[in-house]
Amino acid sequence: METPKNEKFRDSIGTVTKEGKRAWVFPKKPSGRLYEYRKYVSYVLLIFLFAAPFVKINGNQFLMFNVLERRFNIFGFPFWPQDFHLFVIMMIIGVVFVIFFTVAFGRIFCGWICPQTIFMEMVFRRIEYWIDGDRGKQIRLNKMPWNAEKIRKRVLKWTIFFIISFLIANVFLAYLIGSDRLIQYILDGPFSHLSTLISLLIFTGVFYFIFAWFREQVCIIACPYGRLQGVLLDNKSIVVAYDHKRGEKEVGRAKFKKNEDREASGKGDCIDCFQCVHVCPTGIDIRNGTQLECVNCTACIDACDSIMEAVNLPKGLIRYASEDNIEKKAKFKFTPRLKGYTAVLFILVAVLTGMLFLRNDVEARILRLPGQLYEHKDNNMISNVYTFKLVNKTSAAIEGVRFELLSHKGEVKLVAHDEFVVPPQGLSEGTLFIEINASALTGDKDRVEIGVYSGDRLVETTTAAFLGPRSYK
Ligand code: SF4
Ligand code: SF4
């Protein structure tokens, strides 16, 4: 079946030509109320993004994702492989949160918060406007032969892009390996850590490629979140939308003529000026309806509002609205689906908060040495041998560590020493014996509770199995 004429846009992507080549987008420089708000939001987010790996809470980096050493810090809380369950819950909350938000507010995340949009539209694109000028000048420059002006502008732009990509790659590395280590590497000189330098240059290359060339293609073909829109959005989701009822009316959109009575002629409020198309960074025409390329950047809202103001028509022809709002004038409703997502989100956040606060700074694991039986000693004492592992999740050393038996009367004897120190963000391992008088045992396999002390302070409790002779059951 042939696609209807007004649906043809669905057969192709706005950034690909008929020949299958890349159609470069030269978006007009946005301006307006929402663009100003987006600028402020981007300043806050950029400061956060650049500062987060260098801010410390209780000596812990605020955000760190050291995948190689499996160490993560989230909001200053250090996570070890032992805390993996918390990490998984955080990820689930993140996903539910994004789903909830997308169902309710479409791709608001893409337009206002996504680092790709923030860097592309608020950093790289603004530098481009500064060097190359607005849409018209950019198109002219692109068509120009390689003369002195073009070479100068291109070299300047690409050099600045490379420097910023290098800066982003450094910050990215600070998230990965920790800011302290990054600063140390910088002080040691770039050639003292050649493999890190190579990784840094690879990251720089990737960022440069994305922001200098790949650009909106990330959102259109690479981002999995963008692909999810089709299943998450419904008629009640609020998205950047063209009010086709008002824009088209009975006769359809039509160019603006001075002193005409558009109301009487039945023409829509859209004056077909194409400003919303020219300003779009993904090269689409929002008047065709919600499309997967739209990152909800709001640039078309601002562009159309300024046109409406100029021709004395009410603003909001393109606005944040749901399909139901445009079709049936329905107001935003908190639907059962939204209520369900909110409830799940609240439960998950409550569970996570509880787990975070109940989590111990020290994690102890004491396990009986496999294959070893108990030993009968003098004075009716029964002895079992164990290995222990203590993880210190804090950034301060835990000094004077010793073990005490809490559940039974007996003794814990360390093999190598009486007390020891667990280094900051480190672990200590060793062997110990637990000795209990046979008369104190209730069976041939008792569960014993052991306290981990730092001086006189109980920092963690754990349990282990204790084997004894059957006759004492
Ligand atoms: S900017 Fe507004 S008036 Fe102009 S073409 Fe787009 S929707 Fe129509
Ligand atoms: S259609 Fe509008 S909101 Fe969507 S990407 Fe283009 S300019 Fe941004």
Side-chain angles (χ1 to χ4, degrees):
M1 199 176 79
E2 209 187 318
T3 319
K5 203 163 166 252
N6 61 353
E7 297 277 315
K8 283 263 191 241
F9 71 94
R10 295 194 196 282
D11 297 340
S12 59
I13 297 177
T15 51
V16 178
T17 62
K18 279 201 185 78
E19 295 78 40
K21 293 211 177 98
R22 170 86 175 272
W24 195 263
V25 185
F26 296 96
K28 196 174 169 321
K29 189 175 180 203
S31 63
R33 186 176 54 96
L34 291 170
Y35 186 61
E36 286 305 307
Y37 291 153
R38 280 177 61 219
K39 269 196 216 165
Y40 296 132
V41 172
S42 75
Y43 297 148
V44 173
L45 291 177
L46 285 169
I47 290 171
F48 179 82
L49 208 80
F50 279 92
F54 299 94
V55 171
K56 291 196 173 170
I57 293 181
N58 296 328
N60 298 318
Q61 190 168 313
F62 189 64
L63 283 178
M64 183 174 78
F65 306 95
N66 191 336
V67 186
L68 298 176
E69 292 169 14
R70 289 183 296 154
R71 278 172 51 201
F72 304 91
N73 286 2
I74 295 174
F75 304 133
F77 283 103
F79 286 82
W80 281 69
Q82 287 84 349
D83 297 317
F84 194 69
H85 58 291
L86 289 178
F87 202 69
V88 170
I89 291 179
M90 270 194 172
M91 291 292 137
I92 294 173
I93 290 178
V95 171
V96 174
F97 196 81
V98 167
I99 290 174
F100 165 68
F101 249 83
T102 311
V103 169
F105 303 109
R107 290 176 84 168
I108 198 163
F109 170 85
C110 302
W112 291 79
I113 298 165
C114 175
Q116 161 70 20
T117 313
I118 299 283
F119 277 117
M120 187 66 245
E121 302 306 323
M122 295 298 168
V123 179
F124 288 89
R125 193 88 75 188
R126 287 176 72 188
I127 292 167
E128 197 160 70
Y129 289 131
W130 172 60
I131 296 171
D132 294 352
D134 208 343
R135 177 182 156 81
K137 284 187 178 163
Q138 285 186 19
I139 294 172
R140 269 198 300 282
L141 190 71
N142 191 49
K143 285 186 183 150
M144 229 183 241
W146 281 95
N147 57 22
E149 185 196 352
K150 187 164 174 172
I151 293 172
R152 184 176 53 79
K153 286 189 170 171
R154 287 289 187 260
V155 170
L156 178 64
K157 186 171 82 173
W158 291 338
T159 308
I160 295 177
F161 277 13
F162 185 83
I163 292 169
I164 296 176
S165 302
F166 183 71
L167 204 69
I168 299 172
N170 271 276
V171 176
F172 188 66
L173 206 62
Y175 278 103
L176 279 184
I177 62 171
S179 53
D180 287 346
R181 202 185 292 181
L182 176 74
I183 291 168
Q184 191 53 52
Y185 284 5
I186 293 170
L187 294 176
D188 291 349
F191 298 107
S192 314
H193 305 277
L194 212 57
S195 58
T196 312
L197 180 68
I198 292 170
S199 318
L200 193 65
L201 290 175
I202 292 173
F203 286 143
T204 306
V206 170
F207 288 126
Y208 183 82
F209 168 76
I210 289 175
F211 295 115
W213 192 79
F214 204 49
R215 302 191 157 192
E216 74 290 337
Q217 299 300 312
V218 171
C219 315
I220 297 175
I221 57 177
C223 174
Y225 178 59
R227 308 278 73 69
L228 272 176
Q229 304 308 307
V231 285
L232 293 177
L233 298 185
D234 63 14
N235 284 356
K236 294 178 187 68
S237 307
I238 293 183
V239 289
V240 172
Y242 166 68
D243 188 339
H244 56 94
K245 289 260 174 193
R246 194 189 128 191
E248 309 292 319
K249 293 202 180 133
E250 305 89 55
V251 177
R253 63 187 78 149
K255 293 279 180 217
F256 178 71
K257 286 201 191 100
K258 228 175 170 192
N259 301 328
E260 69 175 332
D261 186 352
R262 280 184 92 88
E263 196 69 45
S265 65
K267 288 179 190 168
D269 280 0
C270 172
I271 62 161
D272 214 13
C273 65
F274 277 87
Q275 289 309 301
C276 54
V277 182
H278 291 158
V279 86
C280 177
T282 62
I284 58 166
D285 186 343
I286 190 68
R287 296 172 300 169
N288 289 331
T290 303
Q291 294 147 75
L292 69 85
E293 293 99 322
C294 176
V295 291
N296 277 224
C297 74
T298 71
C300 53
I301 300 184
D302 279 335
C304 190
D305 276 354
S306 74
I307 295 294
M308 291 293 109
E309 210 170 12
V311 297
N312 236 341
L313 287 167
K315 289 181 187 176
L317 180 56
I318 302 176
R319 61 177 186 273
Y320 276 121
S322 68
E323 185 56 28
D324 280 0
N325 174 260
I326 290 171
E327 280 285 345
K328 309 174 200 159
K329 300 264 169 280
K331 288 246 156 33
F332 174 72
K333 263 203 212 124
F334 203 51
T335 58
R337 176 150 75 137
L338 289 186
K339 283 179 193 162
Y341 283 138
T342 315
V344 173
L345 199 64
F346 267 111
I347 293 167
L348 285 173
V349 170
V351 169
L352 180 72
T353 315
M355 282 174 136
L356 277 180
F357 283 99
L358 292 174
R359 194 186 73 130
N360 276 350
D361 286 344
V362 180
E363 184 123 353
R365 182 161 296 177
I366 299 180
L367 291 174
R368 244 176 42 77
L369 211 60
Q372 292 285 324
L373 207 61
Y374 62 89
E375 200 185 326
H376 216 134
K377 298 193 124 183
D378 293 344
N379 303 326
N380 212 17
M381 295 299 276
I382 307 293
S383 171
N384 279 228
V385 62
Y386 298 83
T387 57
F388 70 85
K389 193 188 258 185
L390 284 187
V391 177
N392 177 5
K393 298 173 189 171
T394 69
S395 49
I398 302 177
E399 315 232 355
V401 178
R402 61 192 174 81
F403 298 97
E404 251 180 52
L405 212 49
L406 301 177
S407 56
H408 292 68
K409 210 163 170 287
E411 246 190 291
V412 181
K413 288 183 178 166
L414 284 167
V415 169
H417 26 51
D418 290 340
E419 286 182 357
F420 59 95
V421 177
V422 191
Q425 308 244 353
L427 64 90
S428 295
E429 294 173 283
T431 310
L432 58 83
F433 289 95
I434 297 180
E435 290 182 6
I436 300 176
N437 196 295
S439 60
L441 296 174
T442 54
D444 60 349
K445 194 174 182 183
D446 275 27
R447 199 89 208 143
V448 291
E449 193 182 18
I450 305 129
V452 183
Y453 285 83
S454 166
D456 290 333
R457 188 168 60 94
L458 179 69
V459 288
E460 167 71 322
T461 56
T462 185
T463 60
F466 188 92
L467 299 188
R470 262 179 198 280
S471 50
Y472 287 99
K473 258 203 275 193

mmCIF file of all heavy atoms in Angstrom, residues 4 11 21 53 60 80 92 103 105 180 220 295 359 465:
data_model
loop_
_atom_site.group_PDB
_atom_site.id
_atom_site.type_symbol
_atom_site.label_atom_id
_atom_site.label_comp_id
_atom_site.label_asym_id
_atom_site.label_seq_id
_atom_site.Cartn_x
_atom_site.Cartn_y
_atom_site.Cartn_z
ATOM 1 N N PRO A 4 0.168 7.564 2.212
ATOM 2 C CA PRO A 4 -0.497 8.810 1.833
ATOM 3 C C PRO A 4 0.507 9.957 1.761
ATOM 4 O O PRO A 4 1.520 9.947 2.475
ATOM 5 C CB PRO A 4 -1.500 9.036 2.977
ATOM 6 C CG PRO A 4 -1.587 7.751 3.698
ATOM 7 C CD PRO A 4 -0.356 6.974 3.418
ATOM 8 N N ASP A 11 8.591 7.807 5.968
ATOM 9 C CA ASP A 11 9.410 6.860 5.211
ATOM 10 C C ASP A 11 10.893 7.186 5.241
ATOM 11 O O ASP A 11 11.720 6.408 4.785
ATOM 12 C CB ASP A 11 8.959 6.827 3.736
ATOM 13 C CG ASP A 11 7.528 6.327 3.630
ATOM 14 O OD1 ASP A 11 7.078 5.688 4.586
ATOM 15 O OD2 ASP A 11 6.882 6.598 2.602
ATOM 16 N N LYS A 21 22.711 9.874 1.677
ATOM 17 C CA LYS A 21 23.836 10.598 2.283
ATOM 18 C C LYS A 21 23.350 11.410 3.480
ATOM 19 O O LYS A 21 22.162 11.668 3.616
ATOM 20 C CB LYS A 21 24.461 11.537 1.251
ATOM 21 C CG LYS A 21 25.136 10.816 0.100
ATOM 22 C CD LYS A 21 26.309 11.655 -0.406
ATOM 23 C CE LYS A 21 27.050 10.945 -1.505
ATOM 24 N NZ LYS A 21 26.655 11.386 -2.836
ATOM 25 N N PRO A 53 33.144 14.861 40.345
ATOM 26 C CA PRO A 53 34.250 13.961 40.708
ATOM 27 C C PRO A 53 35.294 14.610 41.619
ATOM 28 O O PRO A 53 36.157 13.927 42.150
ATOM 29 C CB PRO A 53 34.881 13.576 39.361
ATOM 30 C CG PRO A 53 34.225 14.367 38.321
ATOM 31 C CD PRO A 53 33.174 15.213 38.924
ATOM 32 N N ASN A 60 35.131 10.778 50.679
ATOM 33 C CA ASN A 60 34.751 9.957 49.527
ATOM 34 C C ASN A 60 34.350 10.848 48.359
ATOM 35 O O ASN A 60 33.602 11.804 48.546
ATOM 36 C CB ASN A 60 33.544 9.064 49.862
ATOM 37 C CG ASN A 60 33.860 8.104 50.977
ATOM 38 O OD1 ASN A 60 34.934 7.522 51.013
ATOM 39 N ND2 ASN A 60 32.939 7.955 51.904
ATOM 40 N N TRP A 80 30.788 -1.177 47.459
ATOM 41 C CA TRP A 80 31.734 -2.245 47.165
ATOM 42 C C TRP A 80 30.976 -3.347 46.429
ATOM 43 O O TRP A 80 29.757 -3.346 46.407
ATOM 44 C CB TRP A 80 32.302 -2.786 48.485
ATOM 45 C CG TRP A 80 33.360 -1.897 49.028
ATOM 46 C CD1 TRP A 80 33.188 -0.651 49.530
ATOM 47 C CD2 TRP A 80 34.751 -2.166 49.082
ATOM 48 N NE1 TRP A 80 34.386 -0.116 49.913
ATOM 49 C CE2 TRP A 80 35.369 -1.037 49.651
ATOM 50 C CE3 TRP A 80 35.553 -3.247 48.709
ATOM 51 C CZ2 TRP A 80 36.740 -0.956 49.855
ATOM 52 C CZ3 TRP A 80 36.921 -3.175 48.925
ATOM 53 C CH2 TRP A 80 37.504 -2.040 49.485
ATOM 54 N N ILE A 92 17.382 0.066 39.236
ATOM 55 C CA ILE A 92 15.948 -0.179 38.993
ATOM 56 C C ILE A 92 15.172 1.116 39.221
ATOM 57 O O ILE A 92 14.318 1.496 38.421
ATOM 58 C CB ILE A 92 15.416 -1.313 39.903
ATOM 59 C CG1 ILE A 92 16.084 -2.637 39.517
ATOM 60 C CG2 ILE A 92 13.892 -1.441 39.779
ATOM 61 C CD1 ILE A 92 15.759 -3.786 40.448
ATOM 62 N N VAL A 103 6.424 8.483 30.467
ATOM 63 C CA VAL A 103 4.983 8.282 30.283
ATOM 64 C C VAL A 103 4.253 9.611 30.500
ATOM 65 O O VAL A 103 3.351 9.970 29.743
ATOM 66 C CB VAL A 103 4.463 7.201 31.253
ATOM 67 C CG1 VAL A 103 2.944 7.183 31.265
ATOM 68 C CG2 VAL A 103 4.991 5.833 30.861
ATOM 69 N N PHE A 105 5.716 12.906 30.849
ATOM 70 C CA PHE A 105 6.226 14.136 30.229
ATOM 71 C C PHE A 105 7.080 13.899 28.991
ATOM 72 O O PHE A 105 7.903 14.749 28.627
ATOM 73 C CB PHE A 105 7.042 14.934 31.252
ATOM 74 C CG PHE A 105 6.263 15.262 32.489
ATOM 75 C CD1 PHE A 105 6.555 14.647 33.698
ATOM 76 C CD2 PHE A 105 5.224 16.171 32.449
ATOM 77 C CE1 PHE A 105 5.839 14.928 34.838
ATOM 78 C CE2 PHE A 105 4.501 16.464 33.588
ATOM 79 C CZ PHE A 105 4.801 15.848 34.790
ATOM 80 N N ASP A 180 41.568 11.939 42.470
ATOM 81 C CA ASP A 180 42.892 11.991 43.103
ATOM 82 C C ASP A 180 43.931 11.360 42.192
ATOM 83 O O ASP A 180 45.025 11.897 41.989
ATOM 84 C CB ASP A 180 42.870 11.229 44.442
ATOM 85 C CG ASP A 180 42.108 12.011 45.491
ATOM 86 O OD1 ASP A 180 41.855 13.203 45.249
ATOM 87 O OD2 ASP A 180 41.749 11.431 46.537
ATOM 88 N N ILE A 220 18.999 10.101 17.169
ATOM 89 C CA ILE A 220 18.121 9.499 16.163
ATOM 90 C C ILE A 220 18.381 8.004 15.991
ATOM 91 O O ILE A 220 17.451 7.208 15.932
ATOM 92 C CB ILE A 220 18.278 10.237 14.805
ATOM 93 C CG1 ILE A 220 17.829 11.693 14.955
ATOM 94 C CG2 ILE A 220 17.446 9.558 13.715
ATOM 95 C CD1 ILE A 220 18.047 12.536 13.725
ATOM 96 N N VAL A 295 13.699 15.621 20.118
ATOM 97 C CA VAL A 295 14.277 15.480 21.456
ATOM 98 C C VAL A 295 13.633 16.463 22.445
ATOM 99 O O VAL A 295 14.158 16.678 23.533
ATOM 100 C CB VAL A 295 15.816 15.659 21.444
ATOM 101 C CG1 VAL A 295 16.479 14.508 20.731
ATOM 102 C CG2 VAL A 295 16.222 16.990 20.841
ATOM 103 N N ARG A 359 23.107 0.282 56.259
ATOM 104 C CA ARG A 359 24.321 -0.347 55.758
ATOM 105 C C ARG A 359 25.493 -0.052 56.697
ATOM 106 O O ARG A 359 25.630 1.049 57.208
ATOM 107 C CB ARG A 359 24.623 0.247 54.382
ATOM 108 C CG ARG A 359 25.614 -0.480 53.579
ATOM 109 C CD ARG A 359 25.884 0.336 52.347
ATOM 110 N NE ARG A 359 26.687 1.494 52.716
ATOM 111 C CZ ARG A 359 27.798 1.854 52.080
ATOM 112 N NH1 ARG A 359 28.198 1.167 51.050
ATOM 113 N NH2 ARG A 359 28.486 2.894 52.468
ATOM 114 N N ALA A 465 29.284 -20.915 61.595
ATOM 115 C CA ALA A 465 28.916 -22.240 62.122
ATOM 116 C C ALA A 465 30.050 -22.767 63.001
ATOM 117 O O ALA A 465 31.224 -22.555 62.703
ATOM 118 C CB ALA A 465 28.670 -23.190 60.964
#
